Amino acid sequence: MCLRALIGKTLELKKTLSWEKVLNATIVVLSLSMVLYHFVYVRVLIQTSVLHANTHLAFGLVITFLIMIRKNHRFWLLKLILALLSIVCFLYVQIFYLDLAYRISFNTNPDLVIGVILIILSLIACKESAGLVLPIIASLFIIYAFFGYLIPGPLQAMQMSWKLIISRLALSFGISGIYGYLLTISATLIFMFMVFAMLVSATGAVEFFTMVGDWVSHRFRSGPAMAAVLTSALVGSISGLPGPNVMITGSFTIPAMKKAGYTPEHAGGIETAASTCGPIVPPVMGIVAFVMVGFTGIPYKNIVAVAILPALLYVFSVALYVTFQAGRLGIQRTRVVEVDKRELLLRTPIFFGPLIILTILLLLEFSPMLAAFWATIILVIISLIRPKTRPSFSTFIDGLCRGAEIGSKVAAMVAVLGLVIIIITMTGLGVRLPAAAAALVGDNLLLLLILTGAICIVLGCGIPTSAAYLLVAITCAPILLKQGVPLLQAHFFVLYAAVFANITPPVAIPAIFAAQIADGQYMKTAFQGAFAGIAGFLLPFMVIFVPSLTFSFSEPFFAITSLIACPLIFIGLQPAIVGFFLKKLNPMERVFVMLSPAALMVYIYSTNFVWFLIGLAILGVFIMWQIRIREKQKLSFERAPTELSMGR
C-alpha cells in the first residue's frame, strides 16, 4: 500500500511539473509574440490604431490571467476561463469593429454582453496588476455613473440608461473608456519603453552602476548612500517603477549602506527615496514625459527642460540627507576598492549609448515609439559587442518576457483608468469637481494647492507612477486649471504629488521591498524614506510659486532670488530633520535652523524680500555658529594630548 501511494504521489508530482512547464512555456511564447508584434507595428502599419489597442489589450489580459495561475494554482480553471473570455472579446471587437463603431450608444444586446465582460475582465486584471486601490476607485466611479443622479447637491450626475453607460464605458472607440486614448498611449508608447527598461537591466546596467558605486564609496563617507541615490535615480528614470527599482538596485545598494554603518531603516529609507525619484528625472522620466506629451500636447523638449531643475533639487536634498546622516552615525570613508577604470569606461556605452540616442531622436521630434525602437536596437547591438557584457540567450529572453509582463499589467491599468475618464466626462463631474473645490477654499490658491496635493497623494498611494499621473491628471489638474494655473505647472504639480505618494506613510509600497531587503521595520523605513525625500513634498509648490524653476521668467529679481532660495531651503531643512550639520544638533539648534527654510518658503509664497533676508540671516548665523563650535572642538582635541603629557 505504501509503495502504491508513493508511486501515485510521484505520478501526480510529474503531472503537476509537466503542467507548470506547459503554462510557463505558454506565457513565454505569448510574451515574445507580444514583443514581436509591437516591434513590427512600429515599422509596419498592420492595422488601425483602435484594432492595435484591442490586440495590445488582448495580449495584456491573457498574459495577466495566466500569470495569476502561475502565482497561485487555486481556482485555476476560473482564471483560465477569464483568459479565454479575453480572447473571445478580442475576436468580437476585431471582427465587428466597423459595425460597433457605427452602433456607439445604440448597441445590440450581444455588444452589451461583450462590454460588461470587458469591464469585469479589466477590473480583475487591474487588481492583479496594481492591487485593490485602483479597481476600488474605478468601481466607485462606475457606481457613481449609475446612481450619481440620486446624490443631492453640486455633485449630482444626470440620469442615464444602463445601456448607454455600458456602451460609453466599453465600446466608445477612440474617445475614452476602455478603448480610449490611454490604451492607445499604452500600446504605442508605454509598452516599448517597458521592454527597453527591462533589457537595460538584463544587459548589465546594474553591474555598471555597482562599479560606479565602488568608485564613489571611498571618496565620500556617505559614499555607498550617495552611490545609491545616483544609481537608483538613473535606473528609475528608465523603468519608472519605484517598487521594482528598489528590488533591482536595492539588492546591492542597501547591503553596501548597512556595511558602511547605516541602520537597516536608514539604508532602506534612502533607497526608497532614491528609487522613487526616477519618474521626475529626465530625459525618460519613467515614460511619464511621453504620457504627459500625449495627454497635454505640450512638446517633449519643453517637458524635459522644465523637469531638469526640480530633479536636481530633489537629488541635492537627498544627497544632503545621506551626508548629514553619515555624520550623525559616525560613518567614515570605506576602504579603497579597486575599480578597473578601463572596464568601467568600456561598460559606459551600455547605459549611456542608448540613452543618448533616445534623447537625440526625441529632440529631433521623432515619435517616442520609434525612438524607443531604435534605442532598444542600439542597446542590444552594444551589449553583444563585448563578451563581458554579452547577455546569455536565457537572460535576453527573460528581459523581453519581463518587459511584456509589465507592459501587460500597464495595459490592464490604463483600461480601467479609461473607465474613470469617460465617467468624469459623461457625468459632468469634470466640471463639478473643480467648482466644489473652489467653493470649499474660495480664491485662496495656497489652500487650493494643499487640498489638491492631498487628493493627489491619496489617489497616488499604491498605484504605479504612470497610472497615478494619469489618474490625477484626469481628476485634479482641472481643479488647478480652473483657478488659472498654467497647463504645464498644473500637470507638474499633480505629477510630483502623485509620484511622492510612494514615500508617504502608511502606504509606501517601495518601503515594503526596501525593509525586506534591509531586514528592518517597515514603518520606520517608510518614515526615513519620507524624511530623505522631503523635497518631493515641497517641489509641487515650488513649480507653482517659483517661476524660474519652469523657465517662466516674470520679474527678474524675484526669479533669481526665489531660485536661490530653493536649495537654501533644503540646506536648512535637512539638518533640522537629521539633527546634524558639522556636529550633532541639540533640540534648540534644530528649531533655530528650521526657522530659515520656513522664512524662505514664506518668501517664495509672499514675494516679500524681507523674508528672504531673514531666512538667509538665520542660515548664515547657524553655519557660522557650527564652524566656530567645530573649531573649538578641534582645538580642545589638539590641546588634550599636550596637557596629558605635561601632567606626566
Side-chain angles (χ1 to χ4, degrees):
M1 290 291 291
C2 290
L3 182 62
R4 207 178 273 174
L6 183 62
I7 292 170
K9 284 183 179 179
T10 305
L11 291 172
E12 189 179 338
L13 181 62
K14 280 185 177 180
K15 273 185 185 178
T16 303
L17 289 174
S18 62
W19 187 77
E20 285 183 352
K21 282 182 180 178
V22 170
L23 177 63
N24 288 329
T26 304
I27 293 172
V28 169
V29 170
L30 283 173
S31 299
L32 294 178
S33 301
M34 188 178 188
V35 172
L36 179 62
Y37 165 75
H38 281 79
F39 269 75
V40 171
Y41 186 82
V42 173
R43 306 300 298 159
V44 182
L45 191 63
I46 300 172
Q47 52 188 348
T48 66
S49 61
V50 173
L51 293 180
H52 172 58
N54 183 46
T55 306
H56 173 74
L57 180 62
F59 270 121
L61 291 176
V62 173
I63 290 172
T64 300
F65 291 132
L66 292 181
I67 290 172
M68 287 174 64
I69 299 174
R70 185 176 66 186
K71 285 173 66 176
N72 189 341
H73 294 339
R74 290 184 64 193
F75 307 113
W76 67 269
L77 184 58
L78 176 61
K79 295 169 186 175
L80 185 61
I81 290 171
L82 293 176
L84 293 174
L85 284 174
S86 302
I87 297 172
V88 170
C89 291
F90 159 72
L91 291 173
Y92 189 89
V93 173
Q94 205 78 5
I95 294 168
F96 299 109
Y97 163 62
L98 290 177
D99 295 329
L100 290 169
Y102 287 125
R103 292 199 296 256
I104 288 177
S105 302
F106 300 97
N107 295 99
T108 62
N109 288 334
D111 296 347
L112 295 173
V113 170
I114 291 295
V116 171
I117 293 172
L118 270 171
I119 293 169
I120 294 170
L121 292 175
S122 298
L123 288 170
I124 295 171
C126 183
K127 182 265 174 189
E128 174 65 20
S129 305
L132 282 170
V133 178
L134 186 53
I136 288 174
I137 291 172
S139 299
L140 291 174
F141 272 94
I142 292 171
I143 292 169
Y144 176 75
F146 281 97
F147 303 105
Y149 70 94
L150 298 174
I151 301 173
L155 296 181
Q156 186 178 42
M158 71 175 193
Q159 188 173 1
M160 293 172 285
S161 70
W162 70 270
K163 291 184 177 181
L164 178 62
I165 293 172
I166 296 300
S167 175
R168 297 291 299 279
L169 291 181
L171 300 169
S172 297
F173 302 115
I175 304 169
S176 272
I178 289 176
Y179 289 103
Y181 57 89
L182 291 187
L183 188 61
T184 303
I185 291 172
S186 174
T188 55
L189 300 181
I190 297 176
F191 184 82
M192 296 297 295
F193 279 94
M194 288 297 98
V195 175
F196 174 66
M198 292 304 103
L199 282 181
V200 167
S201 175
T203 51
V206 172
E207 288 80 1
F208 166 71
F209 284 114
T210 304
M211 295 176 73
V212 172
D214 290 339
W215 183 78
V216 171
S217 293
H218 69 272
R219 284 166 171 76
F220 306 93
R221 65 179 174 182
S222 60
M226 199 73 77
V229 172
L230 297 175
T231 300
S232 301
L234 289 171
V235 173
S237 176
I238 302 298
S239 69
L241 301 168
N245 195 27
V246 168
M247 301 299 287
I248 293 168
T249 58
S251 59
F252 61 87
T253 59
I254 290 175
M257 285 188 277
K258 287 176 65 180
K259 189 176 179 182
Y262 288 94
T263 66
E265 287 76 19
H266 285 130
I270 291 166
E271 179 57 41
T272 298
S275 289
T276 302
C277 80
I280 72 166
V281 176
V284 180
M285 297 173 63
I287 71 171
V288 169
F290 312 114
V291 177
M292 193 181 290
V293 170
F295 196 88
T296 64
I298 298 170
Y300 166 80
K301 58 185 178 184
N302 292 12
I303 291 171
V304 170
V306 168
I308 292 171
L309 291 180
L312 289 174
L313 276 175
Y314 182 86
V315 173
F316 174 69
S317 175
V318 179
L320 287 174
Y321 174 87
V322 302
T323 301
F324 295 142
Q325 201 64 258
R328 193 182 72 84
L329 296 171
I331 296 171
Q332 301 301 320
R333 291 183 186 181
T334 59
R335 62 183 179 82
V336 177
V337 180
E338 283 297 324
V339 176
D340 188 340
K341 292 179 182 176
R342 182 175 178 275
E343 181 62 26
L344 180 62
L345 188 64
L346 290 171
R347 281 181 178 268
T348 302
I350 293 178
F351 182 78
F352 288 104
L355 199 60
I356 290 169
I357 294 295
L358 180 66
T359 306
I360 290 171
L361 291 176
L362 290 170
L363 291 176
L364 291 174
E365 299 187 355
F366 281 75
S367 71
M369 184 169 62
L370 190 60
F373 172 84
W374 285 114
T376 306
I377 299 299
I378 295 297
L379 171 66
V380 173
I381 292 171
I382 292 174
S383 67
L384 293 175
I385 292 173
R386 298 180 65 238
K388 281 190 176 181
T389 61
R390 191 177 300 148
S392 65
F393 182 73
S394 60
T395 303
F396 181 73
I397 295 299
D398 182 59
L400 292 174
C401 290
R402 281 191 294 134
E405 289 177 13
I406 294 174
S408 298
K409 292 178 179 180
V410 173
M413 288 186 286
V414 298
V416 169
L417 283 170
L419 297 175
V420 175
I421 291 177
I422 192 66
I423 291 168
I424 288 173
T425 304
M426 65 194 281
T427 60
L429 188 62
V431 177
R432 294 188 182 95
L433 194 61
L440 186 64
V441 300
D443 295 328
N444 191 314
L445 179 59
L446 181 60
L447 288 179
L448 183 68
L449 291 173
I450 292 170
L451 174 64
T452 307
I455 295 171
C456 290
I457 288 174
V458 171
L459 293 177
C461 281
I463 301 176
T465 307
S466 54
Y469 163 67
L470 286 168
L471 182 59
V472 297
I474 297 160
T475 55
C476 297
I479 298 174
L480 302 182
L481 294 171
K482 183 83 172 176
Q483 293 300 309
V485 176
L487 180 65
L488 189 61
Q489 282 90 327
H491 276 267
F492 266 96
F493 181 92
V494 298
L495 167 65
Y496 289 148
V499 165
F500 294 108
N502 282 288
I503 58 171
T504 306
V507 185
I509 303 300
I512 296 174
F513 303 129
Q516 289 173 349
I517 297 171
D519 195 23
Q521 294 182 29
Y522 160 64
M523 196 53 70
K524 287 184 179 179
T525 301
F527 274 103
Q528 289 303 323
F531 293 148
I534 191 71
F537 302 104
L538 298 181
L539 283 178
F541 298 92
M542 287 179 172
V543 297
I544 300 295
F545 293 115
V546 182
S548 43
L549 268 183
T550 57
F551 301 104
S552 304
F553 298 101
S554 50
E555 200 277 312
F557 182 75
F558 177 72
I560 294 169
T561 52
S562 60
L563 189 61
I564 293 170
C566 290
L568 294 180
I569 286 171
F570 301 122
I571 291 173
L573 187 60
Q574 287 296 8
I577 290 172
V578 175
F580 186 92
F581 190 72
L582 298 179
K583 70 171 193 68
K584 287 188 178 180
L585 306 181
N586 60 44
M588 287 299 295
E589 288 171 325
R590 294 174 79 166
V591 171
F592 178 74
V593 72
M594 186 67 190
L595 295 175
S596 173
L600 291 170
M601 284 187 282
V602 172
Y603 169 64
I604 286 172
Y605 172 66
S606 68
T607 71
N608 187 337
F609 188 63
V610 173
W611 288 107
F612 179 81
L613 294 177
I614 292 171
L616 199 62
I618 293 171
L619 188 60
V621 169
F622 171 76
I623 292 173
M624 294 295 291
W625 175 254
Q626 287 285 297
I627 292 171
R628 186 178 176 186
I629 291 177
R630 190 176 70 168
E631 286 178 350
K632 279 186 178 181
Q633 288 177 342
K634 279 185 179 179
L635 194 60
S636 64
F637 282 132
E638 288 171 1
R639 285 178 179 173
T642 307
E643 290 174 359
L644 186 61
S645 61
M646 287 175 67
R648 288 178 179 174

